[in-house]
Amino acid sequence: MLLDVKRLCKKFGSVSAAKDIDFSMAKNEVIGVIGSNGAGKTTFCNMITGYTKADSGQIFFNGKEITNLNVQEIKNIGIHRSFQIPQVFENLGVLENLIITDLVSNNNQNSFLEDAYTEKNFIKAINLLKKFSLESFKDKLVKELPQGARKVLDIIIAIIGKPEIILLDEPTSGISTNEKIVVMETIIKAIKKLNIAVIFIEHDMEIVEKFANRVVAFYNGQILGDGRPEEILKQKDVVKYIVGSSHA
Amino acid sequence: MNLKYNENLLLLLFIFFFVVSWFLLPDYALNTVCLSFCNGLVILGLLLLMRLGLVSFGHGMYYCLGGYAVAMSYNFLNIKEALFLILISITVGFLISFALGFFVRRFRGIFFAMLNLALSMILFGIIVKSISLGSTDGFGIKEVYYFGQIIEGEKRLNIYSYSFIIILSGIMMSFVMKYLKSSSGKMLDAIKENEIRSAYLGIAVNRHIHKAYIFSGTLAALGGGLMVLLVGHITPEDTAYWTKSGEFVFVAILSGSLNVFAPLFGALFFEFIRSYALFYFPNTWQMIIGIILIIGIIYLPEGIGSIFKKRRN
Ligand SMILES: Nc1ncnc2c1ncn2[C@@H]1O[C@H](COP(=O)(O)OP(=O)(O)O)[C@@H](O)[C@H]1O
Ligand SMILES: [Mg+2]
């Protein structure tokens, strides 16, 4: 298994954000994670990526335990993520964001002799933007971007360096309804081309149905259902607690 | 247009201009220029921290360490060659900032600032309590050789000491310039902008902070060492005391962190204003300095460096 999560628990005070979560994932899976607000989806992402330490339980990646690695170490072994609220370098340019990311993923972060913002690096970054149809923003600072573009930039940053797993926390939130599908199509296409396994958290069931080949439903820190989208999205309690409420 | 070429050329012109000034400016002005460069090196060090979004209220400590390294080597080890003395001050700055860096790099914001202040107060206390270190009177040094050259009975400010300070500062500015343009230097911008994302990218946040801190402390120590060569005397009060550190932060904020010229211009500006204000308004010069800072913050929020800022196209 690519990723194995065993009996993961996490409490914040009296709130249980994860209760005995068991989960595993194979290569090439595209998993949609659903659940109402506060169900524990982001916490799940945070524990896998080392940002939040679990109270108990274990996480394995390619058979090796990674439960106690820190954020940087987990990134370096090949698990990347994007964020519900984009985490980008707001006061830097769009291209500079990409160049910095690329430098780090090429192990250049300690280089004192090589300049960072060379023409070659700029061209590379522009080409990357083109792939995601964002080249019209190439001369902008990130803080000048519309929310949707910033969201995509955050995801591009997570893709750079070709991880084995990528976790997308609500990739389409903040993107207008009519653009969602197109944006998601571009992202998933790019990710699949690189053979990266995906876990994406999503509230829009249409998107989940269209892109996920497996759905995991969270409710109150527990997994309510896990399986093929057609089944899980029709499961009684999933409809009652998640699908129903998300359309409300 | 090749920006790299421009910046290096600009630096060369800058240094050339100040070296030539030796033949044009009166002595008191040259003295102020030299002192500004010594202080400017400390501000240059603070610029590196500002690039990380950090401020140190205790950089006077490294200024003091560098200065005492020179004064003590001169008096206790009988070393009289300026180059060796300066190498010693750089080494001391490097080693101490390397060691303390393991501690301070874990802190951010006001905690980082105050921790440095606390460390500088400890150093101040140690020196004041140590009779062998001259206590509050400090140390003096006599004639110094510059590459084996000495001008007997001449003033401390001579063509050797002057060009030594200016050119060494120029070299340091070019190092900082190179660092800020390098991949490693861009990590500072990333860390300042978003530490969470930086960590998720795999940037070794603490290691980069440590590196910049060492560079910064070493520059400040060099500034202190050069200051002692120029002034010939050092006291704890004028270096490690918190008011001196505060002055450095003041000028650093006035200068901004846009480019390596800003700290030097900031320091020059401050020293000249202070010496004129002291002369013409001996009792109200602090007020004048305060008003200038207010004007600076309002009209040049990114500091003196923004006068030269290249516009984004
Ligand atoms: N850092 C935190 N401190 C305290 N409570 C938290 C923290 N993070 C999450 N929680 C709580 O844990 C529960 C799950 O949150 P979260 O994982 O963000 O849910 P989701 O992403 O599914 O909306 C919520 O009740 C939330 O309030
Ligand atoms: Mg969430």
Side-chain angles (χ1 to χ4, degrees), chain A residues 12 15-17 35-44 84 169-170:
Chain A
F12 294 108
V15 180
S16 249
S36 45
N37 278 328
K41 304 177 302 291
T42 296
T43 304
F44 179 65
Q84 193 170 338
D169 196 349
E170 307 200 10

Side-chain angles (χ1 to χ4, degrees), chain A residues 89 92-109 114-129 138 142 153 156-157 160-161, chain B residues 181-187 189-190 201 203 312:
Chain A
F89 307 121
L92 302 182
V94 172
L95 296 177
E96 283 83 350
N97 268 262
L98 297 176
I99 291 174
I100 288 174
T101 308
D102 193 48
L103 288 170
V104 179
S105 81
N106 289 329
N107 257 323
N108 261 333
Q109 63 170 300
E114 272 169 69
D115 285 0
Y117 297 158
T118 58
E119 204 159 321
K120 194 180 113 220
N121 286 344
F122 273 116
I123 290 170
K124 206 169 160 191
I126 292 172
N127 285 335
L128 194 56
L129 274 187
K138 71 178 167 48
V142 172
L153 180 69
I156 302 175
I157 285 175
I160 291 178
Chain B
K181 275 192 303 194
S182 73
S183 304
S184 189
K186 293 304 171 200
M187 300 305 139
D189 295 343
L201 283 188
I203 296 176
R312 249 188 107 79

Side-chain angles (χ1 to χ4, degrees), chain A residues 1-5 23-29 31 45 48-49 59-62 66 74-75 77-82 158-159 161-168 191 194-200:
Chain A
M1 278 286 138
L2 185 58
L3 186 70
D4 257 309
V5 171
F23 169 89
S24 59
M25 174 183 201
K27 282 199 165 80
N28 298 325
E29 277 194 292
I31 299 181
C45 263
I48 291 173
T49 51
I59 306 168
F60 296 88
F61 175 66
N62 282 326
I66 60 165
I74 288 179
K75 186 267 162 189
I77 60 169
I79 303 178
H80 295 192
R81 73 173 291 185
S82 75
I159 294 173
K162 298 193 187 74
E164 287 191 59
I165 301 181
I166 194 163
L167 295 99
L168 307 175
I191 290 175
L194 297 166
N195 278 321
I196 303 170
V198 191
I199 299 177
F200 70 96

